[in-house]
Amino acid sequence: MAYSRNAALPPSTRGLGALLGLALLSGGCAPGGAEAQAPPDVVLLVVDTLRSDYMSCYGFDRPTTPVLDALAAGGVVFEDNTSQCSWTKPSMVSMLSGRYVTSYRDRMFERAPTLAECFQEAGYRTVAVVANTLLGEEAGFTRGYDRYDVSNKPNPERPNKRLARDLGDLQQALWPLLDETLTEQDGERPPLFLVVHAMEPHFPYDLRPELEDELPLGRAEPIRPEQREQFLREGPPAPAEDPGWEQGLLRLQRERGLYARDVREADRQLGLLVERLAERGVGPNAVFALVSDHGESLFEELTPLPAVERSTLPPFKFFYREHGVYMRESLIGTPFLLWGAGVPRGLRVPEPVENVDLFPTLLDLAGLERPWGLHGRSQLPRLEGEPAEERAFVYSAVFQHRAVREVATGLKLVVPTEGGRASGFRTALYDLSADPGELVDLAAERPEEVTRLEAELEAWIRRYPNDSTLGFDLSESERSELDAMGYAGEGGQAKSEDD
């Protein structure tokens, strides 16, 4: 049986009738069709570090996304979406250029148009408010915007961390920009392309005690029995009476619960944002998309250190809680939601899609011409109920690894890059149909499948070559931002809060 990342569970509105009504009001007409009285506004919501399997509209067993559940009920859920990288900059390069990044790249392509430039050239007013301060002008992310705000407010409680991390801060910056940008001309205002990039649920997570009743930390996923045994076997020795031993293992469960609460807070703030946009006239004729740059590893993997070094670490560091190194589904399985003008209601798409598909899909929904050279596939045919080209493989790459998943078989091959091999990583093969948690490496047992999928991965790299930015001299401000956000360097490996 082919691998399916998410069960097709019906989204719950959880009493959010107003938001559901807004989604239904703004959806339903044919994309670019005769019913559209004006070009639609287009709103792209990027929620940093959001893994889809922690969203209730993707089947999570606790109410983390009631707002998005309601909006998804009036739109489209792509149930099997893959991000092209497990850390921010290469992922956003790929998403905002509509191109695969087969070699490490943390700067926009110089000669390829950005998504914002396409809307700007079509007469749209283009505005972005971004909490992730890595996505700045020096890396080319501001190209095509009339107004681009990278929020970076001082936060005395979290020195050396990125600062404006929540949607509340972003909205304070957004409304003056919109008021300036959406000035009517001869009684009409130009269409809007808006990007809001929020940092919840990026680490460090907040306690949010007001959510204890709905999302109690004690109900978060505990450490797996085999992980506990592995830590006891390979971790540092400790006396059985040491109370900190069990507390250290429980901390993993607590962090997972805090992550779920941050997802819920992002969901709440997104609801407020959509409501306030509607008050400003952005809603009845608007297309909304919600995606993420990558997910988060919540201790499903060992920390990427030699076994001798790892054996000295407490549980919180023995297991990996971050992103940017591995290619697990928890890191590249991300949401892709659409609702609004021209989007059918209540559609769940089980066929696999990728973040690279966002670019052509949004242009098609706005009725705009696509530039030459896009690698993604527009999902408009699926939205219109027409047959769409089936995808045989999905791909991702990061500094240390490249990955390919075969849709028909559920086989996933993860191959270390030169940098990954230097760090001691080895090729791994997983059968996601039988082993969705990627616990059993089959590479030694099925070498013929490894060879076959390696050839497919190499063919992908040959089809979509790109110049790498490894070795590119970073500016002082870029290095400062990487350090402030806890990243060890260009490869994207994040440091622990306790480092």
Side-chain angles (χ1 to χ4, degrees):
M1 182 178 66
Y3 166 67
S4 176
R5 180 180 283 144
N6 301 292
L9 300 178
S12 169
T13 62
R14 306 188 193 281
L16 297 175
L19 280 171
L20 179 58
L22 177 62
L24 295 177
L25 175 65
S26 59
C29 64
E35 294 182 44
Q37 300 301 309
D41 295 323
V42 177
V43 180
L44 173 57
L45 306 173
V46 182
V47 182
D48 209 290
T49 323
L50 178 59
R51 47 190 282 180
S52 58
D53 64 352
Y54 263 69
M55 301 172 65
S56 40
C57 57
Y58 278 84
F60 194 59
D61 62 358
R62 280 171 286 150
T64 49
T65 53
V67 170
L68 292 174
D69 294 353
L71 293 170
V76 177
V77 179
F78 294 98
E79 295 178 342
D80 183 356
N81 181 60
T82 296
S83 169
Q84 268 52 75
C85 188
S86 60
W87 94 285
T88 299
K89 292 182 80 174
S91 178
M92 295 304 292
V93 168
S94 178
M95 184 193 302
L96 299 177
S97 66
R99 287 165 166 77
Y100 288 118
V101 175
T102 54
S103 297
Y104 178 82
R105 188 172 185 87
D106 57 11
R107 280 166 161 67
M108 295 298 293
F109 296 101
E110 292 81 2
R111 293 180 296 278
T114 69
L115 183 59
E117 285 174 326
C118 291
F119 280 101
Q120 190 178 57
E121 291 173 4
Y124 275 68
R125 294 297 179 264
T126 54
V127 178
V129 180
V130 177
N132 193 319
T133 54
L134 296 178
L135 305 179
E137 181 177 4
E138 291 171 302
F141 288 101
T142 63
R143 282 171 39 203
Y145 290 96
D146 299 315
R147 302 297 301 271
Y148 191 98
D149 180 271
V150 180
S151 299
N152 190 11
K153 289 173 35 176
N155 186 340
E157 297 180 2
R158 284 199 180 96
N160 301 321
K161 294 291 180 185
R162 85 226 161 278
L163 303 173
R165 70 179 301 265
D166 62 49
L167 278 157
D169 288 335
L170 292 184
Q171 290 193 57
Q172 291 181 25
L174 173 60
W175 307 126
L177 292 183
L178 285 187
D179 291 342
E180 295 172 12
T181 306
L182 296 182
T183 303
E184 292 188 357
Q185 300 173 359
D186 300 325
E188 296 183 359
R189 71 162 176 84
L192 170 70
F193 174 64
L194 171 65
V195 175
V196 177
H197 186 133
M199 287 304 288
E200 300 105 330
H202 194 292
F203 186 83
Y205 318 129
D206 286 331
L207 180 58
R208 308 195 190 280
E210 70 278 8
L211 292 174
E212 177 61 28
D213 289 342
E214 291 186 79
L215 295 171
L217 298 181
R219 282 200 59 201
E221 181 186 0
I223 185 172
R224 298 193 308 268
E226 63 269 22
Q227 284 185 295
R228 177 186 294 272
E229 293 172 5
Q230 184 175 24
F231 180 73
L232 294 175
R233 183 175 62 251
E234 301 176 14
E241 65 273 12
D242 182 359
W245 188 267
E246 186 64 27
Q247 291 173 6
L249 293 172
L250 288 174
R251 183 178 180 184
L252 276 60
Q253 181 180 24
R254 181 177 183 272
E255 288 292 316
R256 288 169 172 160
L258 293 176
Y259 177 86
R261 289 184 181 183
D262 258 16
V263 173
R264 177 60 179 267
E265 174 62 14
D267 181 79
R268 184 184 74 85
Q269 291 279 2
L270 286 168
L272 296 175
L273 174 68
V274 170
E275 288 180 354
R276 292 193 67 184
L277 286 172
E279 292 170 1
R280 283 169 163 77
V282 180
N285 186 37
V287 175
F288 287 82
L290 181 135
V291 292
S292 180
D293 51 350
H294 55 76
E296 183 80 311
S297 183
L298 294 172
F299 311 106
E300 293 98 345
E301 183 72 84
L302 295 176
T303 196
L305 289 173
V308 173
E309 295 181 40
R310 193 167 52 238
S311 67
T312 66
L313 299 176
F316 189 70
K317 294 185 179 182
F318 185 89
F319 297 103
Y320 186 63
R321 191 247 357 107
E322 281 292 355
H323 50 268
V325 173
Y326 295 111
M327 287 277 99
R328 296 185 69 91
E329 293 300 292
S330 59
L331 287 161
I332 56 176
T334 53
F336 187 171
L337 306 179
L338 289 172
W339 68 91
V343 178
R345 302 163 183 165
L347 177 64
R348 298 186 71 94
V349 177
E351 292 82 9
V353 298
E354 298 176 294
N355 269 0
V356 76
D357 298 340
L358 176 75
F359 194 130
T361 301
L362 290 184
L363 291 183
D364 279 2
L365 282 167
L368 304 184
E369 184 177 351
R370 287 184 246 156
W372 178 85
L374 296 181
H375 300 161
R377 303 177 185 179
S378 172
Q379 296 303 308
L380 184 60
R382 294 190 196 281
L383 306 188
E384 295 180 331
E386 298 177 1
E389 183 181 359
E390 295 298 329
R391 207 176 227 112
F393 301 93
V394 296
Y395 309 91
S396 298
V398 72
F399 172 68
Q400 295 89 347
H401 293 100
R402 295 186 181 98
V404 57
R405 169 163 61 95
E406 186 173 41
V407 175
T409 65
L411 292 176
K412 175 181 174 181
L413 184 72
V414 182
V415 177
T417 62
E418 182 178 349
R421 288 192 296 272
S423 298
F425 293 115
R426 297 180 299 178
T427 296
L429 177 71
Y430 302 102
D431 182 354
L432 299 183
S433 297
D435 176 29
E438 298 168 89
L439 302 177
V440 181
D441 179 7
L442 302 173
E445 297 178 23
R446 303 173 70 174
E448 71 288 349
E449 299 288 14
V450 171
T451 300
R452 184 174 64 84
L453 292 176
E454 279 179 335
E456 174 57 37
L457 198 54
E458 288 297 324
W460 174 66
I461 296 169
R462 290 195 299 271
R463 283 196 303 272
Y464 305 108
N466 69 263
D467 295 332
S468 172
T469 56
L470 281 177
F472 193 98
D473 288 335
L474 298 177
S475 69
E476 184 176 341
S477 63
E478 287 177 302
R479 291 188 183 278
S480 176
E481 293 294 353
L482 280 168
D483 182 66
M485 291 186 65
Y487 291 105
E490 296 103 320
Q493 181 177 342
K495 299 181 290 187
S496 167
E497 183 186 40
D498 299 331
D499 286 348

